[in-house]
C-alpha cells in the first residue's frame, strides 16, 4: 500500500508551529525555583509530538534535533535535572531553531546545519554528554552493516512456549503468533494439555495450554523473538536451534552492476526534487488556509438548513398565490431576512480567530527586550479569547509590536528610577482586548513614566511641527507623537527605532479602518487604545445622495450631520470655504465638484453638511440628502476596475445599483491638495 | 469490517493513521486524548484500540488501564504508539494491560502489519 505522505505535511507543520508556541510560552512562564510539573509536561509533550511527527513524515534533521531536546526535557520531567536560567534561554533558542528548521522544510529551503549543530552541541553539553552524538546517517550505516549478511541459513528451530495463566488478559492470542511464525517457514505445533482443568473449574478467560513448536526457517533468532515480543513477560519461552540444515549464498546488493546503482541514484535525486516542489506547493496553499472550529461549521450548516426550509415555504406561496396569504408571505420574508442576517454573521464567524494568536508573541518579546534593557516588566494579557477577523489580525500584528516596544523602551522606567518614584520595581505592561459597539478594542497600557508633555511640545516646536506661541490641549500634545519624524527618546536605541514608526503605526491602523488614541498621565503611565472594525469585508455605512448618485460614508468617520446656514460659512481666497462649527473652522468639501457631477443645488443652505474626521482632521462634506444607514459588503474597486482617488470601494445596494464607498482620509488629502488650507493661517484660528 | 479506535493528540498523526486504516478497509473511530477515547469507547465496540502514550488530559497508559476495567474491553487488543523504545515504557504499558506496541516513527505498511497481528 503506497500512501502519499506529503498530504499530511500541512497539518504536521501547523500543529508543530502551535507546539513551538506552547513550548515558548510555557518556558517563559517557568518559575525556576519551583517549576510547575504540568508546564514541564506540556513542553515535553510538544517536543515529543514534533519528534514523532517529523520521524513519521521523514524530516530526519528535525527528528535528530528534537531527540536531544526531548532527552533533556525528559530528565527535567523526571526530576533528574534542575534547569537554570541559561538553560531556559538555550531551550528558547532551540525553539527558534526548530521553528527555522520546520519553516525551511516546509518551504523546501536548506536548513542552516551549522547553527543546528552548534545548538545541539550546547544541549548535549547540558546533558553532560560532551561528545556530540553520532549522526543518524552513521547510525544507519551501522545498522545496515549488521543486517547486511550475504549468507542466510535455514535451520530447524525448537520453540517451547508456555503462556502464563493471564496471557489473554492483555488481548494477546497464541493463534495469531503462530500464524505470524508460519509466514517465516514451515511450522509444526504440538499442544500440551496437561494443565487443562476439569470442566467444572475451567475459566474461559485463563490460558491453560502450552506448545512445543518446530519451525523450519531462514529467519534470524531476533525475528522469531520479535513475534513473542509483546508476551515476553507473560510466558516462559525457550528458543533454540535443533539442526542447521543448509546454507544458501545470497547475492549481495552492492555486487550489482554499477549502471543499476547510477540509475537508482538518479532516480532518487529526481524524486527529491519532486518532493521539494510538492512541499512548496503545500506551503503556498497552506498560507491561505484557515482552521475553523467545527462548532462554527455546524452552526453554518444548521443555518443553511433553516434557509432551505424558508425558501421552500416561500416557493409554495408563489405556486398558488392568494391575497389572503399576504400575512404569511410577510412572515416568510421576515424569516428570510433573519436567516440571511444570521447566515451572514455565521459566515463572518468563520474568519474570526481569537486574538491570542496575536498576543502569543508578546511574552517572548517582553522577556527578550526587558532582559536586554535590564528592566523588570510583568506582562499581563487579558481578553485573549476576543475574536477578530483573520486579515485584520495579520495586519495589526506589526503596529502592536511597535507600540509594545515603545512602551517598554520609552514608557517603563529602569527599576531604580521606579523605586525612587515610589513605584514597585517591576513595571506592568497590560494588553487587553475586548469588544465594544461592533468594534474590537485593544489597550496597551503601561504604568511607566507617561508622556512628558513639555518635552514633546518643546521638541515639536524645535522641529517646526508647532508654532512657537501656539497653545495646545493635552490631547493635541499627545497626538504629536504620531506625527512623522518625531522622537523624544534621549538616545536613539535599537529597540524602538528612530522615531520613524509612530506615524506609520497610525497610518497602518487607519488603513484597517481603525483609530489609535493615547491617554497619558505623567508619572502614572500611558495607554494606547486601538479601535478596529471586526471585519474588513463589511462596513456600517451612511448612505448619502448627491444629485441622482448615492454614496456611502463609513459610519465610524462621521461625527455629526447638520444643516448649514450661510452666516456660518466663510469664503477665503476664492474657491475655499470654511464652515464655523461651534469653536472651530472646518473646510467644506463639495462632493459634486470632487466627482464632477450634477447636484440639486449648489447653495449650502439647501443641502446638508456631514462632518467627518480622519487622521485628526475634520472636514464637512456637502451633500444633498442623507438616506438610510445600513451594512454594506465591500467590493474592491482595484481588483474589479482601478484605484479611484477619494473612493475606497464599491457596493451593491438592495435595488441592484452600484454605490461608491467614500474614502474619507483621501477626500481630506484631496481637499488639501486642491486648495491651501494647510498654509492658511485661518485653519488654526480658535474662535473666540 | 473491523473497527479500530485510534487515539492521538497530534492531528497529523491522526490523519496519517486514519487515512491508512480507512484505506485498508477498516472503520475508524477517532479520539483526541484519553478522556475523549474513554467517552467514545463507552458508546461503541471497536475490535482494537490504537493509542498514543503521551497525551494531555489522560495518557495512553491510563486509558488502557481504564478500558480494561470495562467488561466489553477485557480482551480487546490494545496497542500503544510510542516513540520511547525503552523497556520502561513497554513494561508500564504491559502491566496496564496493553497487548503490544508500535514504535514511532513507523510507516503505513508497518502500521497495517501490526494491526494485522491483533485483528485476525
Amino acid at each position: 500500500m503506497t500512501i502519499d505522505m506529503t498530504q499530511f505535511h500541512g497539518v504536521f507543520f501547523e500543529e508543530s508551529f502551535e507546539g513551538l508556541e506552547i513550548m515558548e510560552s510555557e518556558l517563559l512562564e517557568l518559575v525556576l525555583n519551583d517549576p510547575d510539573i504540568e508546564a514541564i509536561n506540556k513542553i515535553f509533550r510538544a517536543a515529543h509530538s514534533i519528534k514523532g511527527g517529523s520521524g513519521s513524515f521523514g524530516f530526519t534533521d528535525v527528528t535528530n534535533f528534537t531527540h536531544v531536546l526531548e532527552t533533556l526535557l525528559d530528565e527535567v520531567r523526571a526530576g533528574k535535572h534542575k534547569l537554570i536560567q541559561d538553560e531556559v534561554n538555550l531551550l528558547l533558542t532551540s525553539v527558534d531553531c526548530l521553528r527555522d528548521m520546520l519553516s525551511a522544510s516546509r518551504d523546501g529551503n536548506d536548513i542552516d546545519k551549522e547553527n543546528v549543530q552548534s545548538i545541539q552541541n550546547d544541549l548535549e553539553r547540558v546533558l553532560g554528554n560532551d561528545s556530540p552524538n553520532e549522526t543518524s546517517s552513521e547510525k544507519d550505516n551501522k545498522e545496515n552493516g549488521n543486517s547486511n549478511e550475504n549468507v542466510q541459513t535455514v535451520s530447524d528451530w525448537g520453540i517451547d512456549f508456555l503462556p502464563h495463566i493471564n496471557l489473554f488478559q492483555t488481548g494477546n492470542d497464541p493463534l495469531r503468533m503462530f500464524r505470524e511464525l508460519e509466514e517465516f517457514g514451515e511450522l509444526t505445533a504440538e499442544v500440551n494439555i496437561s494443565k487443562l482443568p476439569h470442566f467444572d473449574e475451567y475459566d474461559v478467560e485463563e490460558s491453560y495450554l502450552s506448545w512445543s513448536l518446530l519451525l523450519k526457517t531462514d529467519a534470524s533468532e531476533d525475528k522469531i523473538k520479535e513475534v513473542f515480543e509483546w508476551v515476553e513477560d507473560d510466558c516462559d519461552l525457550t528458543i533454540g536451534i535443533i539442526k542447521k540444515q543448509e546454507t544458501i549464498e545470497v547475492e549481495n546488493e552492492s555486487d550489482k552492476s554499477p549502471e543499476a546503482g547510477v540509475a537508482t541514484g538518479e532516480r532518487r535525486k529526481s524524486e527529491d526534487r519532486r518532493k521539494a516542489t510538492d512541499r512548496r506547493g503545500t506551503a503556498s496553499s497552506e498560507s491561505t488556509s484557515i482552521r475553523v472550529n467545527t462548532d462554527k461549521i455546524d452552526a453554518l450548516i444548521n443555518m443553511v438548513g433553516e434557509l432551505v426550509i424558508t425558501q421552500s415555504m416561500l416557493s409554495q406561496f408563489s405556486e398558488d398565490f392568494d391575497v389572503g396569504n399576504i400575512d404569511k408571505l410577510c412572515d416568510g420574508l421576515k424569516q428570510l431576512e433573519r436567516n440571511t442576517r444570521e447566515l451572514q454573521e455565521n459566515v463572518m464567524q468563520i474568519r474570526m480567530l481569537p486574538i491570542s494568536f496575536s498576543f502569543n508573541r508578546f511574552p517572548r518579546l517582553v522577556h527578550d527586550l526587558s532582559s536586554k534593557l535590564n528592566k523588570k516588566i510583568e506582562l499581563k494579557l487579558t481578553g485573549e479569547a476576543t475574536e477578530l477577523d483573520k486579515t485584520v489580525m495579520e495586519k495589526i500584528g506589526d503596529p502592536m509590536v511597535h507600540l509594545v516596544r515603545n512602551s517598554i523602551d520609552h514608557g517603563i522606567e529602569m527599576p531604580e528610577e521606579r523605586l525612587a518614584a515610589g513605584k514597585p520595581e517591576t513595571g506592568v505592561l497590560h494588553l487587553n482586548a475586548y469588544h465594544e459597539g461592533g468594534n474590537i478594542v485593544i489597550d496597551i497600557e503601561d504604568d511607566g513614566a507617561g508622556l512628558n508633555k513639555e518635552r514633546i511640545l518643546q521638541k515639536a516646536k524645535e522641529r517646526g511641527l508647532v508654532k512657537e506661541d501656539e497653545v495646545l490641549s493635552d490631547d493635541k500634545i499627545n497626538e504629536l507623537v504620531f506625527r512623522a519624524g518625531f522622537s523624544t527618546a534621549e538616545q536613539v536605541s535599537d529597540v524602538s527605532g528612530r522615531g520613524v514608526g509612530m506615524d506609520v503605526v497610525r497610518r497602518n491602523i487607519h488603513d484597517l479602518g481603525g483609530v489609535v488614541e493615547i491617554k497619558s498621565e505623567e508619572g502614572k503611565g500611558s495607554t494606547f487604545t486601538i479601535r478596529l472594525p471586526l471585519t474588513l469585508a463589511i462596513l456600517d455605512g451612511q448612505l448619502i445622495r448627491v444629485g441622482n448618485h448615492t454614496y456611502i460614508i463609513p459610519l465610524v468617520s462621521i461625527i455629526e450631520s447638520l444643516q448649514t446656514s450661510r452666516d456660518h460659512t466663510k469664503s477665503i481666497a476664492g474657491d475655499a470655504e470654511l464652515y464655523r462649527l461651534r469653536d472651530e473652522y472646518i473646510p467644506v468639501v463639495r462632493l459634486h465638484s470632487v466627482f464632477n457631477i450634477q447636484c440639486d443645488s449648489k447653495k449650502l443652505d439647501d443641502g446638508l453638511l456631514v462632518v467627518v474626521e480622519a487622521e485628526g482632521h475634520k472636514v464637512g462634506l456637502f451633500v444633498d440628502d442623507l438616506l438610510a444607514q445600513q451594512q454594506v459588503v465591500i467590493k474592491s474597486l482595484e481588483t474589479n476596475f482601478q484605484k479611484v482617488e477619494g473612493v475606497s470601494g464599491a457596493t451593491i445596494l438592495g435595488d441592484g445599483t452600484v454605490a461608491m464607498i467614500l474614502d474619507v482620509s483621501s477626500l481630506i488629502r484631496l481637499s488639501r491638495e486642491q486648495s491651501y488650507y494647510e498654509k492658511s493661517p485661518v485653519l488654526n484660528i480658535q474662535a473666540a | 469490517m473491523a473497527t479500530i479506535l485510534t487515539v492521538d493528540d497530534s492531528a497529523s498523526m491522526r490523519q496519517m493513521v486514519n487515512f491508512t486504516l480507512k484505506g485498508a478497509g477498516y472503520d475508524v473511530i477517532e479520539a483526541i486524548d484519553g478522556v475523549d477515547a474513554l467517552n467514545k469507547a463507552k458508546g461503541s465496540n471497536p475490535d482494537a484500540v490504537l493509542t498514543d502514550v503521551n497525551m494531555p488530559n489522560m495518557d495512553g497508559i491510563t486509558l488502557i488501564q481504564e478500558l480494561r476495567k470495562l467488561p466489553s474491553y477485557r480482551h480487546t487488543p490494545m496497542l500503544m504508539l510510542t516513540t520511547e523504545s525503552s523497556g520502561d515504557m513497554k513494561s508500564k504499558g504491559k502491566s496496564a494491560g496493553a497487548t503490544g506496541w508500535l514504535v514511532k516513527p513507523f510507516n503505513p505498511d508497518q502500521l497495517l502489519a501490526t494491526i494485522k497481528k491483533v485483528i485476525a
Side-chain angles (χ1 to χ4, degrees), chain B residues 58-69:
Chain B
M58 184 194 283
D59 64 37
I61 290 179
T62 317
L63 170 68
I64 290 173
Q65 237 163 15
E66 291 297 314
L67 282 176
R68 285 279 180 236
K69 289 182 193 160

Side-chain angles (χ1 to χ4, degrees), chain A residues 303-320:
Chain A
M303 281 313 311
V304 171
E306 282 184 35
L307 195 64
V308 169
I309 295 169
T310 312
Q311 188 270 331
S312 69
M313 190 176 94
L314 286 171
S315 68
Q316 263 177 8
F317 287 124
S318 70
E319 271 167 27
D320 50 346

Side-chain angles (χ1 to χ4, degrees), chain B residues 6-89:
Chain B
T6 64
V7 197
D8 204 314
D9 60 325
S10 149
S12 60
M13 289 306 286
R14 235 172 22 237
Q15 260 193 13
M16 195 264 267
V17 166
N18 296 344
F19 189 88
T20 307
L21 293 178
K22 281 179 187 161
Y26 295 103
D27 286 330
V28 177
I29 303 171
E30 258 182 77
I32 58 164
D33 59 33
V35 176
D36 188 29
L38 204 54
N39 285 333
K40 285 180 173 153
K42 282 172 184 164
S44 57
N45 193 17
D47 300 276
V49 178
L50 185 69
T51 178
D52 189 25
V53 173
N54 262 293
M55 290 183 293
N57 301 325
M58 184 194 283
D59 64 37
I61 290 179
T62 317
L63 170 68
I64 290 173
Q65 237 163 15
E66 291 297 314
L67 282 176
R68 285 279 180 236
K69 289 182 193 160
L70 305 175
S72 54
Y73 284 86
R74 289 185 61 174
H75 305 290
T76 310
M78 296 187 197
L79 301 173
M80 325 184 265
L81 290 182
T82 169
T83 43
E84 278 127 316
S85 45
S86 72
D88 187 37
M89 194 49 74

Side-chain angles (χ1 to χ4, degrees), chain A residues 67-98:
Chain A
H67 177 72
V68 187
L69 186 63
E70 189 198 20
T71 315
L72 175 58
L73 289 169
D74 198 26
E75 293 212 338
V76 175
R77 191 169 70 140
K80 288 181 204 158
H81 187 102
K82 222 168 155 348
L83 284 176
I84 56 169
Q85 188 58 49
D86 279 352
E87 290 164 4
V88 172
N89 290 344
L90 175 62
L91 289 173
L92 283 169
T93 318
S94 310
V95 169
D96 291 340
C97 173
L98 264 176

Side-chain angles (χ1 to χ4, degrees), chain A residues 72 89 99 173 177 185 232 253 281 301 306-307 330 380 396 410 416 445 471 495 510 537 550 601 657:
Chain A
L72 175 58
N89 290 344
R99 197 175 279 137
D173 185 346
M177 294 175 221
E232 251 172 2
E253 288 265 336
I301 288 165
E306 282 184 35
L307 195 64
C330 286
K380 221 166 94 183
I396 199 60
H410 304 319
E416 49 271 26
E445 186 184 348
V471 185
V495 175
H510 273 286
T550 307
S601 165
T657 55

Side-chain angles (χ1 to χ4, degrees), chain A residues 187-202:
Chain A
L187 180 76
T188 35
E190 199 177 297
V191 65
N192 178 350
I193 54 167
S194 61
K195 285 199 184 147
L196 202 63
H198 188 265
F199 192 67
D200 300 343
E201 295 156 25
Y202 185 78

Side-chain angles (χ1 to χ4, degrees), chain A residues 312-377:
Chain A
S312 69
M313 190 176 94
L314 286 171
S315 68
Q316 263 177 8
F317 287 124
S318 70
E319 271 167 27
D320 50 346
F321 186 72
D322 182 84
V323 182
N325 280 340
I326 197 102
D327 282 349
K328 281 188 186 168
L329 179 66
C330 286
D331 284 350
L333 287 173
K334 256 183 215 145
Q335 197 172 319
L336 182 66
E337 188 194 328
R338 201 181 54 239
N339 289 157
T340 315
R341 196 180 52 239
E342 283 177 19
L343 188 62
Q344 182 195 349
E345 279 166 14
N346 281 320
V347 171
M348 284 303 150
Q349 276 295 316
I350 286 190
R351 292 190 55 82
M352 295 297 200
L353 292 173
I355 198 161
S356 53
F357 281 94
S358 195
F359 275 7
N360 279 346
R361 66 166 97 170
F362 291 109
R364 179 71 187 274
L365 185 86
V366 172
H367 171 266
D368 288 357
L369 278 188
S370 54
S371 46
K372 194 168 177 182
L373 295 169
N374 290 321
K375 290 184 178 180
K376 291 195 171 166
I377 298 168

Side-chain angles (χ1 to χ4, degrees), chain A residues 564-570 578-582 585:
Chain A
T564 51
S565 67
R566 277 240 66 94
D567 312 344
H568 286 118
T569 321
K570 278 193 169 133
L578 287 174
Y579 180 77
R580 182 172 153 191
L581 180 70
R582 289 179 282 275
Y585 280 87

